């Protein structure tokens, strides 16, 4: 599927006003029915994510720290074509990998629904493509922040730390967008600032360990997903839940289903077997017919909106800032 699309961008510098003067552009044909919101949605870490923005005009903004430096990417879709503009030192790198980011390396045809629910969702949402960023740390650090806490707590920590220790996005990005800190900047965050952001010592220590071997972590982007997960899990504090969340984004891995999640087994169990008490083993058994595409199957189940009725109270957010 990837061979249908050009692999190198045609870049044309244009003078614009903004923090970075050079703008680069690229057009990319989209498979019929592609929905940018579905494709790029997994990159969003909360409604106020400083590295991701869905604008009212239908454009999607993404800020990344690439191997060539910070870059800002704006993508719109019209008449089956994605129009991308990029700014900053990482602009060419981002445009070079635009097809993979928009799911050109994904193959939805490899998925065969074996449940009525999945067949209906697959038919109703044909625009789902699994993205591949080719970047590890930008998914690994926020995934560590999401360990064992509510999503609101994790999103708040990511927002506060990126805005304070990152740098403003290059180019005319929307206000408040920032590039995440580099490995050295993460390593220099004082302990009290982690606490003010609501990050406990365990998660902070895991991020520091990751940053000490940042280059080795980024090398995992070129490995097969299973090998990449093994590389990530060599770091104490990075387990199967975290590594799966990373390779789903960095590799576009269609089979790397998340285990150890607080909600997902019950959602999958309820959707496919009416079992709200399903654990990881039961979830994997239900997803076994989709081997090779288990992550896609889980994404489609989440898109179906079929979740078990809530019985227990929501997880209570913690507050370690006063400690």
């Amino acid at each position: 599927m990837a061979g249908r699309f050009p692999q190198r961008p045609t870049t044309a510098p244009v003078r614009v006003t903004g923090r970075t003067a050079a703008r680069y552009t690229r057009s990319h044909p989209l498979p019929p029915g592609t929905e940018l919101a579905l494709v790029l949605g997994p990159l969003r870490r909360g409604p106020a994510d400083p590295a991701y923005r869905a604008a009212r005009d239908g454009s999607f903004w993404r800020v990344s720290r690439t191997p060539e430096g910070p870059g800002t990417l704006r993508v719109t879709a019209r008449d089956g074509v994605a129009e991308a503009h990029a700014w900053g030192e990482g602009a060419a790198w981002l445009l070079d990998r635009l097809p993979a980011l928009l799911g050109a390396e994904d193959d939805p045809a490899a998925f065969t629904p074996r449940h009525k629910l999945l067949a209906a969702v697959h038919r109703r949402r044909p625009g789902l493509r699994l993205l591949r960023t080719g970047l590890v740390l930008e998914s690994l650090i926020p995934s560590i922040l999401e360990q064992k806490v509510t999503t609101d707590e994790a999103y708040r920590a990511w927002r506060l730390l990126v805005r304070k220790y990152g740098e403003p996005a290059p180019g005319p990005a929307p206000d408040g967008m920032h590039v995440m800190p580099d490995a050295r900047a993460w390593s220099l965050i004082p302990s009290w600032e982690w606490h003010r952001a609501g990050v406990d010592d365990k998660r902070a220590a895991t991020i520091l360990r990751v940053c000490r071997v940042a280059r080795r972590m980024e090398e995992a982007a070129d490995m097969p997903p299973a090998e990449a997960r093994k590389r990530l899990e060599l770091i104490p504090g990075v387990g199967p839940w975290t590594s799966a969340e990373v390779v789903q984004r960095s590799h576009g891995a269609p089979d790397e289903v998340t285990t150890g999640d607080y909600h997902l087994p019950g959602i999958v169990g309820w959707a496919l077997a009416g079992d709200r008490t399903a654990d990881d083993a039961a979830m994997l058994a239900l997803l076994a017919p989709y081997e090779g595409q288990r992550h896609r199957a889980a994404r489609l189940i989440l898109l179906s909106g079929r979740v078990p009725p809530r019985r227990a109270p929501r997880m209570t957010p913690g507050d370690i800032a006063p400690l």
Side-chain angles (χ1 to χ4, degrees):
M1 188 173 186
R4 294 171 50 200
F5 303 105
Q7 296 302 304
R8 294 289 303 178
T10 302
T11 57
V14 181
R15 305 305 297 181
V16 299
T17 59
R19 285 180 286 259
T20 299
R23 181 179 74 178
Y24 299 84
T25 64
R26 177 177 184 171
S27 297
H28 170 65
L30 294 171
T34 299
E35 297 180 52
L36 290 184
L38 283 183
V39 177
L40 299 176
L43 299 177
R44 177 179 177 265
R45 305 286 182 167
D49 186 350
Y52 180 93
R53 190 73 53 84
R56 291 183 178 179
D57 63 1
S59 62
F60 294 85
W61 294 79
R62 176 184 177 231
V63 180
S64 294
R65 185 170 295 280
T66 78
E68 296 177 4
T72 298
L73 181 70
R74 179 182 184 268
V75 184
T76 58
R78 183 177 181 182
D79 298 329
V81 176
E83 296 287 343
H85 306 275
W87 297 263
E89 296 172 358
W93 192 96
L94 289 170
L95 291 179
D96 192 40
R97 287 152 183 82
L98 181 69
L101 181 71
L102 299 182
E105 297 179 4
D106 185 32
D107 183 13
F111 179 78
T112 302
R114 301 184 185 279
H115 293 82
K116 289 183 179 180
L117 174 68
L118 287 178
V121 181
H122 189 52
R123 184 174 58 253
R124 191 168 66 246
R125 306 304 294 267
L128 175 64
R129 297 290 187 280
L130 301 182
L131 61 82
R132 178 173 185 170
T133 67
L135 296 170
V136 172
L137 241 61
E138 74 167 23
S139 293
L140 180 53
I141 291 176
S143 294
I144 293 170
L145 291 175
E146 292 173 10
Q147 295 174 351
K148 307 297 184 181
V149 296
T150 65
T151 53
D152 287 345
E153 290 176 278
Y155 293 159
R156 175 181 177 273
W158 171 251
R159 181 175 68 251
L160 294 177
L161 293 170
V162 171
R163 285 182 177 172
K164 186 163 187 176
Y165 293 99
E167 57 192 90
D175 290 342
M177 295 199 73
H178 280 66
V179 184
M180 81 168 196
D182 60 18
R184 183 174 184 273
W186 283 110
S187 299
L188 294 177
I189 296 176
S191 60
W192 59 86
E193 292 291 353
W194 291 106
H195 277 218
R196 286 176 179 172
V199 182
D200 58 79
D201 292 342
K202 182 178 180 180
R203 286 180 292 150
T206 301
I207 291 174
L208 295 179
R209 284 191 289 267
V210 162
C211 289
R212 292 190 191 104
V213 290
R215 182 180 62 83
R216 299 283 287 168
M217 294 292 98
E218 290 295 353
E219 288 174 356
D222 296 321
M223 298 177 176
E227 292 182 20
R229 293 187 65 177
K230 290 180 180 178
R231 169 72 63 89
L232 299 183
E233 290 176 25
L234 290 174
I235 305 299
V238 177
W241 183 91
T242 304
S243 67
E245 290 289 308
V246 174
V247 299
Q248 288 166 6
R249 296 166 173 82
S250 61
H251 290 69
D255 195 47
E256 302 301 324
V257 65
T258 303
T259 57
D261 192 83
Y262 186 73
H263 299 289
L264 187 60
I267 293 174
V268 172
W270 179 259
L272 299 185
D275 180 11
R276 63 180 302 149
T277 65
D279 57 11
D280 280 339
M283 175 181 71
L284 293 176
L286 288 169
L287 293 176
Y290 301 102
E291 186 173 0
Q293 295 284 318
R294 293 176 299 173
H295 170 51
R296 189 191 308 278
R299 281 285 308 274
L300 290 170
I301 289 170
L302 292 173
L303 287 173
S304 75
R306 185 171 180 179
V307 297
R310 183 176 298 278
R311 290 181 180 175
R314 292 180 181 272
M315 184 177 176
T316 303
D319 184 7
I320 68 168
L323 298 181

